[in-house]
Each structure stands twice: as C-alpha cells, then as structure tokens.
Amino acid sequence: MRRRTPPPPSPLPQRDGVDPVRVRLPAGDAWATVRDHLVARLAAGAGVIDAMLDAGQIVDVAGRPVRRDMAYAPGMYVWFHRELPDEERVPFAVDVVYQDEHVVVADKPHFLATTPRGSHVAETALARLRRELGVPTLSAAHRLDRLTAGLVLFTVRPEERGAYQTLFRDKRVAKEYEAVARYDPALDLPRTVRSRIVKERGILAAHEVEGEPNAVSRIELLEHRDERARYRLTPSTGQTHQLRVHMSALGVPIFGDPLYPVVTDPVPAGDFRQPLQLLARVLEFTDPVTGREHRFVSPRVLRAWSSYEEWAR
C-alpha cells in the first residue's frame, strides 16, 4: 500500500495559538484561477476572497501572496488565516497536570472546546495551551465534548501524534468518568449498557436504534444523598455522547444536560451557571514512546454534588 505524502509545512505562523487554514486544490477541477476555486469552495464570498488576495493574506507554499489571476494548478496548497469569531471567554483555567517532552495532560473546564471547531476557535483548550505553554506544535490526541470537563491528552511532537492516537483507536487507554444525576433506588446497578447509537450530521442529539451494539458503557453507583447520586461511568467504546445517551436511557439523565432526554433552548452567551455534571476523571495508559506507565486523576469536584443549591440556582 502506497503511503500518502504529508502536506508541506505552513509558511504562515500560528495566530493566537490557531493554525492557518490549509487548502489543497483538487485534481479534476477545471477552474481558470486559484481565486475562482476559492470563491466557489469557501463560504466567505467573492468580495472577502478578493480583499484577502489584494491584501496578500492568501499565500502559496513559499509564503508568496497569491494573485487574483494566478492559474489554477491541481495539487497546489494555499494558506490563510481565518477571521476569528467574536468568542465569549470561558472564565475558567485549563490546568496542566503533567508535562514532559512528549505529552501534556490537561484538566479542561466545562464549556471550553478541546480543539478549534465552528464558532469556538481561539477560545479552546488547544489554542490556550499553545499560547500559555509556548508549544506551537501541541496537538490533541483525542477530544472531550465542550460541555464535559476533565482530562485530555495532548502531544508535543507532530511525528509522535499518531502513536498516541493509536492508543485510543486500539482501546489501550483506560478512561473513567464521573457524573451526578438523579438517584433511582429501583435502578439495578452496577450494569453494562450496550446499544447502537447513531449521530446524524446537523442533528444536535444522538439516538439509539435497533441493530448491532456499537456503544458499551459500565455504569456504577458510587454514593447517593437523598435524590442525588454520584456515578462512575466506564466506556469501552467512544460513540458521540455515548455516556449521556446511556444515562438518559436508564432514566437518570446527567444533571445540566441540554440535549438528553430532550433538547432545550440554548443558554445566553456567557451563562456558565449550570455546567453539565460530567467529568473525565481518570486517564490511564502505557506511553507508546517512553514505555512509562501513566495514571492521571482529575481533582475536580462536580458542583451539583458538592453544593447543589449553588449549582442549581
């Protein structure tokens, strides 16, 4: 099998910890100019593309500005910096719990996206850590939902990223989560939940369907106080929103979940009062580069457990 040639390095530096956008001109297209292709491909509009070209903001592999009349060349790469959205700052720190020359393990707060996506770009854990640690090569080996807090593994060296991603792909990372939800004395726990979960593009919530299970979660009751309970959740698969779907299906949806069991109206920007009570508590693996045995535990405390009245108001 022929190995894919990696793309050339970016001629543009990062901006605010965010990589420039890289566009490869595909083969088979018959555009007259690079400009015509970018106008058709990108949602920015002709006026924006022309203004960027005129300002020298779109460059080729050598860092030279692309002219409006530059001929289309299949396989050519161009780079530019996107206009950053006006993002609401998440007023909680990303805590580094471990760092060496290969990896960084960070404890991400609720509401902060792991990596740039959609309207969350500079205000993400990855961009923040690149700026704060001064490590522009930092990359995420996996992701947590924006609303979920807890441990995330980042890699330092691009050439080693694949080795760490393979750990997650091959299920060689032990992960434990913690959640706070309603206590149901009739719920028989511990138990292993198996189902088939489907997440459709453009639909906020995932849902269970008939068929071969693709999502497996171990659910355990840790303790309870009156109508609240603290649960340990151990997934052995990684479907989108898997733990949230499974807890909701058991009749104990996680406190603060805006999607399960029903999708609720979005909260106003800057409203950080009731975070989803789901935490990636434990991350355990053997380092594929150094051979070290790692076990990390987040010290965070879910507020609906420690101070429910404060969280709920």
Side-chain angles (χ1 to χ4, degrees), residues 168 206 289:
F168 291 89
V289 177

Side-chain angles (χ1 to χ4, degrees), residues 17 54 56 184 254 306:
D54 293 344
D184 181 358
I254 299 171
S306 62

Side-chain angles (χ1 to χ4, degrees), residues 87 90 94 108-117 119-128 143-148 152 154:
E87 299 179 68
V90 178
V94 182
K108 182 186 83 66
H110 298 285
F111 300 108
L112 189 69
T114 303
T115 57
R117 193 175 187 181
S119 61
H120 306 282
V121 182
E123 191 59 11
T124 59
L126 177 61
R128 275 202 199 176
R143 282 192 318 204
L144 287 182
D145 289 346
R146 185 178 67 87
L147 299 183
T148 303
V152 185
F154 296 88

Side-chain angles (χ1 to χ4, degrees), residues 16-245:
D16 293 326
V18 179
D19 292 323
V21 176
R22 183 185 69 231
V23 176
R24 185 177 187 272
L25 309 187
D29 284 354
W31 303 101
T33 65
V34 176
R35 179 261 181 201
D36 292 342
H37 174 76
L38 295 178
V39 169
R41 180 171 176 176
L42 305 178
V48 172
I49 298 299
D50 287 339
M52 293 175 68
L53 290 168
D54 293 344
Q57 295 173 349
I58 301 177
V59 302
D60 66 10
V61 68
R64 296 174 300 226
V66 173
R67 305 183 312 274
R68 281 204 202 193
D69 61 353
M70 181 178 283
Y72 184 92
M76 174 183 176
Y77 288 92
V78 298
W79 287 261
F80 60 89
H81 281 288
R82 75 188 85 181
E83 188 71 27
L84 295 180
D86 185 15
E87 299 179 68
E88 187 77 32
R89 176 164 176 78
V90 178
F92 312 112
V94 182
D95 299 321
V96 174
V97 300
Y98 178 81
Q99 181 177 4
D100 64 22
E101 64 270 32
H102 305 285
V103 298
V104 171
V105 179
D107 198 345
K108 182 186 83 66
H110 298 285
F111 300 108
L112 189 69
T114 303
T115 57
R117 193 175 187 181
S119 61
H120 306 282
V121 182
E123 191 59 11
T124 59
L126 177 61
R128 275 202 199 176
L129 288 170
R130 283 174 171 175
R131 297 192 300 265
E132 294 170 4
L133 300 179
V135 183
T137 57
L138 204 67
S139 295
H142 67 122
R143 282 192 318 204
L144 287 182
D145 289 346
R146 185 178 67 87
L147 299 183
T148 303
L151 299 176
V152 185
L153 176 65
F154 296 88
T155 63
V156 174
R157 298 173 176 172
E159 66 272 20
E160 295 174 351
R161 184 186 184 200
Y164 291 97
Q165 288 180 313
T166 299
L167 289 178
F168 291 89
R169 185 197 68 191
D170 294 347
K171 300 180 175 60
R172 290 187 283 130
V173 178
K175 296 182 285 184
E176 291 181 13
Y177 291 71
E178 188 176 303
V180 178
R182 183 177 66 85
Y183 172 59
D184 181 358
L187 187 60
D188 185 20
L189 296 177
R191 71 167 66 182
T192 298
V193 180
R194 295 178 174 85
S195 71
R196 185 166 191 81
I197 294 177
V198 174
K199 175 68 169 64
E200 298 175 16
R201 188 178 181 87
I203 305 297
L204 292 176
H207 61 280
E208 293 179 309
V209 298
E210 295 293 329
E212 184 71 21
N214 63 358
V216 181
S217 307
R218 176 76 171 171
I219 314 293
E220 300 172 74
L221 175 66
L222 293 175
E223 56 182 322
H224 67 90
R225 297 173 183 164
D226 301 322
E227 296 182 352
R228 283 176 293 145
R230 194 164 65 91
Y231 298 88
R232 178 189 293 123
L233 315 177
T234 310
S236 54
T237 55
Q239 296 300 317
T240 300
H241 298 174
Q242 173 179 318
L243 298 174
R244 297 162 66 180
V245 171

